Amino acid sequence: MANVSVYNMQGNNVGSIELSDSVFGVEVNEHLMHLAVTAQLANKRQGTQKAKTRSEVSGGGRKPWKQKGTGHARQGSTRAPQWTGGGVVFAPTPRDYTITLNKKEKRAALKSALTSRVKEEKLIVLNELVLGEIKTKNFQAMLNALKAQKALVILEDMNQNVILSARNIEGVKTAQVNELNTYDVLKYGTVIASEAAVKKIEEVYA
């Protein structure tokens, strides 16, 4: 089992915690993590872009001039792509970019991401994460004490004071345990979680 230090919100070392190997000590599978990140980014795409082809634009029903004898190049319609107001060649149409991964793959990718954060010493465990009021200044002071800038803060459950205090800080995101995903864990430089959140992660994803 990996053993990591536990800090308080003032950045002082107050102990240590053993992490479960079933979540934080698995073999890192870079291929699965890549698939999970690709899938999440692809699934964000709306796929609603649309342009009209020559068959969809209005007008152009009659041949603009006769085939021969005018000195012009032959034309069949004024709605062909080379005409002003004509259709678009190979126009984009609405499509679905969804990439699906099964539950086992998603879970294994997330475990790999969490394990990589532990190995890189980018997981900071707090003895508790409690704010008495909604105060961005207090949350920033905690980040400064922990020497963390770009951070994913994992919460055991809905903590309104922490969420609202962190939302205006650039490069910081909060997420509850059931909202965790591989992309966010890898995107942010540091992962911060309370001991309670760590235990809940081990319960949910073991």
Side-chain angles (χ1 to χ4, degrees), residues 119-136:
K119 288 183 176 180
E120 294 166 9
E121 296 183 351
K122 291 182 178 179
L123 174 68
I124 298 176
V125 180
L126 298 175
N127 60 346
E128 62 176 359
L129 181 51
V130 178
L131 290 178
E133 58 180 336
I134 299 169
K135 199 78 173 174
T136 301

Side-chain angles (χ1 to χ4, degrees), residues 57-70:
V57 292
S58 61
R62 183 173 63 85
K63 189 173 174 68
W65 50 72
K66 63 181 184 177
Q67 181 83 343
K68 293 178 178 293
T70 64

Side-chain angles (χ1 to χ4, degrees), residues 46-206:
Q46 288 185 317
T48 54
Q49 57 181 351
K50 176 74 175 78
K52 291 182 178 181
T53 62
R54 62 183 296 172
S55 66
E56 295 171 313
V57 292
S58 61
R62 183 173 63 85
K63 189 173 174 68
W65 50 72
K66 63 181 184 177
Q67 181 83 343
K68 293 178 178 293
T70 64
H72 294 298
R74 53 193 171 188
Q75 299 291 333
S77 167
T78 56
R79 300 299 87 173
Q82 71 271 22
W83 285 73
T84 300
V88 178
V89 183
F90 306 128
T93 55
R95 57 171 287 192
D96 183 10
Y97 291 96
T98 301
I99 298 174
T100 57
L101 293 179
N102 63 44
K103 288 181 180 179
K104 282 186 178 179
E105 288 174 324
K106 287 181 183 177
R107 182 164 291 202
L110 179 57
K111 288 179 181 180
S112 289
L114 291 170
T115 299
S116 71
R117 282 290 170 254
V118 173
K119 288 183 176 180
E120 294 166 9
E121 296 183 351
K122 291 182 178 179
L123 174 68
I124 298 176
V125 180
L126 298 175
N127 60 346
E128 62 176 359
L129 181 51
V130 178
L131 290 178
E133 58 180 336
I134 299 169
K135 199 78 173 174
T136 301
K137 185 178 180 181
N138 294 346
F139 193 89
Q140 184 64 61
M142 180 197 75
L143 293 177
N144 294 340
L146 296 171
K147 297 179 181 178
Q149 294 179 337
K150 196 175 181 183
L152 173 68
V153 181
I154 304 174
L155 306 174
E156 181 190 5
D157 48 29
M158 178 65 74
N159 188 328
Q160 203 72 5
N161 285 1
V162 173
I163 293 170
L164 295 179
S165 296
R167 68 177 177 177
N168 282 337
I169 302 176
E170 187 178 358
V172 174
K173 180 176 181 178
T174 57
Q176 295 178 60
V177 171
N178 60 352
E179 297 172 332
L180 274 184
N181 60 77
T182 305
Y183 176 69
D184 283 344
V185 172
L186 295 176
K187 178 182 177 181
Y188 294 89
T190 305
V191 175
I192 299 173
S194 65
E195 284 189 82
V198 169
K199 288 175 182 176
K200 190 168 183 179
I201 291 171
E202 292 175 343
E203 289 173 7
V204 173
Y205 298 104

